[in-house]
Amino acid sequence: MKLKLLPVFAAVLFLLMPAIAQAQTFAEQFKNDASVPLSYFLPGDVAYDESIPTPQEVLGFNIGEWHLRHDLGVRYLEAIAEASDRVTLHQYGRTHGLRPLILLTITHPDNQQNIEEIRERHVSLADPQVSRNADISDMPAVVWLGYSVHGNEHSGANAALLAAYYYAAAQGIDDLLRETVILLDPSFNPDGQDRFVSWVNSHRNLNRLTADPRDREYNEPWPRSRTNHYWFDLNRDWMPLQHPESRGRLEMFHHWKPNVLTDHHEMGTNATYFFQPGIPSRNNPLTLERNYELTAKLAEYHAEYLDRFGQLYYTKESFDDFYVGKGSTYPDLNGSIGILFEQASSRGHVQESQHGLVPFPETIRNQFQTSLSTVSGSHALRTELLDFTRTHFLRAIEDARNDDVRGYVFSAPHDPARIYHLLDILGRHQINVYQLNRNLSANDTDFEAGRDFIIPAEQPQYRLVRSLFETRTEFTDSLFYDVSTWSLPHAFNLDHAELGRRAFSTNLLGEAVDFENLSFPEGEIIGGQARVAYIFEWDGYYAPRALHDLQYNDVRTMVSNRSFALPTTEGEREFAVGSIIVPVAIQDACSPEELFAMIRETARENAISVYAVDTGLARGGIDLGSPNITTLQRPEVLLITGDGVNVSEAGETWFQLDQRYNVPVTMVETDRFNSLDLSRYNTIVMPNGNYNRISQNARERLSDWISGGGLVIAYKGAASWLVQNGMASASFASRDSDEDDSPLPYADLSNNRGAQVIGGSIFETRMDLTHPLTYGYRNEHLSVFRNSTIFMDPPNNQYAAPIRYTDNPLISGYISSQNLDMLPGTASVLVSGRGSGRVIMFADNPNFRAFWFGTNKLFANSLFFGSTISGASIER
């Protein structure tokens, strides 16, 4: 084996400088010639195997000189895996943009020879039946190094290549590699990464770099590149699992169940460096205290490694560890130690800050050093970490037995697709779910054996089960970095109940759900080819997709605004209000035979039951030719995006339309909207945001378009903007200032203001089930998610607010007492308009993070039925 020693990086005089002076000297040098040798990053007292290619040898440039495209990073890591017997590479998925998601397994070559046996022994620690007496003395620790879940926080993805090179090439680390398995995930978000790289590299000077924060390089256009293809924050998707990046990553996480997982981020340029522990009062209460003790022990290693460079850092003052959908919190509830790192960002190649210049290579170096410190600390704490993983799952069984809630039962009898999606999430989290074995009455609901499902609390994933199903309204802190609740039964609008000691019995547990063979339910036509019409009810989650698929093929469709009963091959059936009717005789685009084939395929793909009927004469209610049946138009959707518009809510709308409903959508930025011809669209969606960039002329044209029959769906700030500009009518309540005008400590200012923020909580509303916006719902009570302080007063027109908050609305999450006092009776949804147009205003976001399946139908109803709402019922 040929070894190489890295050349001395700088003159002796440079090495004798104080660390901060060294950093600024390097930064000035980098600003002028943008070059950086490998020796800047790597420990200089280590020999490296010459057979392992350096990044420069494969990429053609040194790490830090340019921002790294994902495909180049993959190419380099493939070269590492090819050259080193310490490294294997596995592709675990692809992004929405088809970029590969890869994971390197790095360990001693002897371990690579029996890596599957090592993995199986390790994951057995999560099985309380076999782990109690397991010998952990010779087991390697498993450490997952994860980078850059936010695309424009790019130092991590570049540091990943340095970590791969170091552990593949460094000599003298045999003991560490024998006792450690390193799982290296170089980029959690390749789609966002490449958006960012394209921008900053395209605006990089080729000679002397520009450090001015006002330069174009450091100011990405909307939507920027933090997010994935659909503009979702993937660091909120560890629990919802609505994207391929998260699904693939979580499969590998549970395949290995690492002892430690790192989550390397960036923060504002004027910051320093953060590593956990975070703010103690904002920890998730279900996480074991031992987790935080081990996090603090690992922090000593991070401090040691960063102190070598004089790097400033802090702990315990920022960032919480509460929301289970974040990359540093999800591991905590799964027997691992999740660690958040936050590096002050250069957001390009070198940028000015209050601490001097922040060069890109320095940000990479810090992330690389905390990668080394994590592995070193995990190696030193190996048996403690292994014992913690084992203890986590043993304690889960013990704590479940002491919990007053022994299980959870849930049902959605009219919507198998919604149940499928929940089961899919639960299975990916390795939660044991069973079919209900006996009929059960609980929480004023009858649950049916063989149809409904039950989850016992007593299982290894007890802490995660409780986190996903509980409601919580008491907290030790009033500030949250993210949402304060995420109860899945409410998000999915399920009939559900907690089962206490008396109600729960293992006899209720039927056959375990076979997640490996879980498949999407198929729908069907009942009654064969119809003579008069095909009818399907609106309960099914994918009924909107079925409707649009038919409309897209020019099939005439109608909606019933009253219930009715007709004979079918299964006997007389009552069809609920909101049922979709597809008449046979009036179709121009297809023959009856072609329509039948189309309906059959549509039913199958969308998990709905379609009934063939041979008469239009109702046995009860209205006939099929009734004036209370309305012909529907196909939505031609314009989604307003761009500066001022909330990126996440725009992305959630785009995702819902494209992925869930197959609805093509035109996305236009606010600046282009000013010159846009609106005549080709019948529906405009305005996500939460500030629309002041829309010109006065464009506002007048939008108002005319609404008066001429256009439909606008507006969320939160967009609704307020429409009201302010005279295109809709509503009044918004504001909280009165506190009567107590006594002075308050300046130090409490941030916390007192933060306590008035609704970061994300769940509330109860009451619906008018006869209104088009509530078609498809059978229970007048609906849980909604709210993360704003916009309160719409009850309208003057009593029909205009079909969904209102109840008198005692709080179900779960944090809200200040002042805000809670304002909420009862206010409108969650309000319908206004001008002329023959309609404006549907949401105080809440029905598409939140793509996992609020229970309120998605409110958006669908607005989209497909909004224009059918009677003018007499709207607020003017």
Side-chain angles (χ1 to χ4, degrees), residues 686-739:
M686 301 177 68
N688 182 33
N690 182 328
Y691 289 83
N692 288 334
R693 297 175 70 94
I694 295 179
S695 68
Q696 183 59 41
N697 179 264
R699 297 179 197 193
E700 293 172 1
R701 288 189 292 106
L702 176 59
S703 181
D704 291 342
W705 178 86
I706 294 172
S707 296
L711 169 67
V712 175
I713 303 170
Y715 306 148
K716 297 184 285 192
S720 177
W721 183 85
L722 289 167
V723 170
Q724 292 169 12
N725 285 274
M727 288 176 253
S729 297
S731 63
F732 298 90
S734 59
R735 183 168 55 84
D736 295 332
S737 60
D738 296 332
E739 295 182 3

Side-chain angles (χ1 to χ4, degrees), residues 268-284:
T269 303
N270 286 316
T272 57
Y273 196 92
F274 171 86
F275 51 85
Q276 287 180 314
I279 298 174
S281 62
R282 300 178 195 169
N283 290 333
N284 191 298

Side-chain angles (χ1 to χ4, degrees), residues 206-266:
L206 298 183
N207 292 315
R208 292 180 177 173
L209 300 178
T210 301
D212 185 348
R214 291 166 287 275
D215 185 65
R216 187 170 168 84
E217 177 181 348
Y218 309 110
N219 294 277
E220 293 179 83
W222 195 99
R224 292 167 285 280
S225 51
R226 173 186 177 93
T227 53
N228 77 342
H229 176 80
Y230 283 104
W231 310 334
F232 277 69
D233 186 336
L234 291 177
N235 197 38
R236 305 298 184 267
D237 196 47
W238 283 75
M239 181 277 288
L241 298 176
Q242 296 305 303
H243 300 277
E245 300 92 335
S246 307
R247 289 169 174 251
R249 184 190 330 119
L250 200 78
E251 181 178 352
M252 295 309 299
F253 175 91
H254 284 298
H255 186 68
W256 270 102
K257 296 191 182 296
N259 300 109
V260 176
L261 182 144
T262 67
D263 191 17
H264 291 261
H265 289 251
E266 292 180 0

Side-chain angles (χ1 to χ4, degrees), residues 49-72:
D49 182 354
E50 286 191 347
S51 69
I52 306 301
T54 65
Q56 195 277 335
E57 290 169 345
V58 175
L59 304 176
F61 59 90
N62 285 316
I63 293 293
E65 294 176 352
W66 291 85
H67 281 262
L68 181 72
R69 291 200 325 258
H70 181 65
D71 64 301
L72 292 179

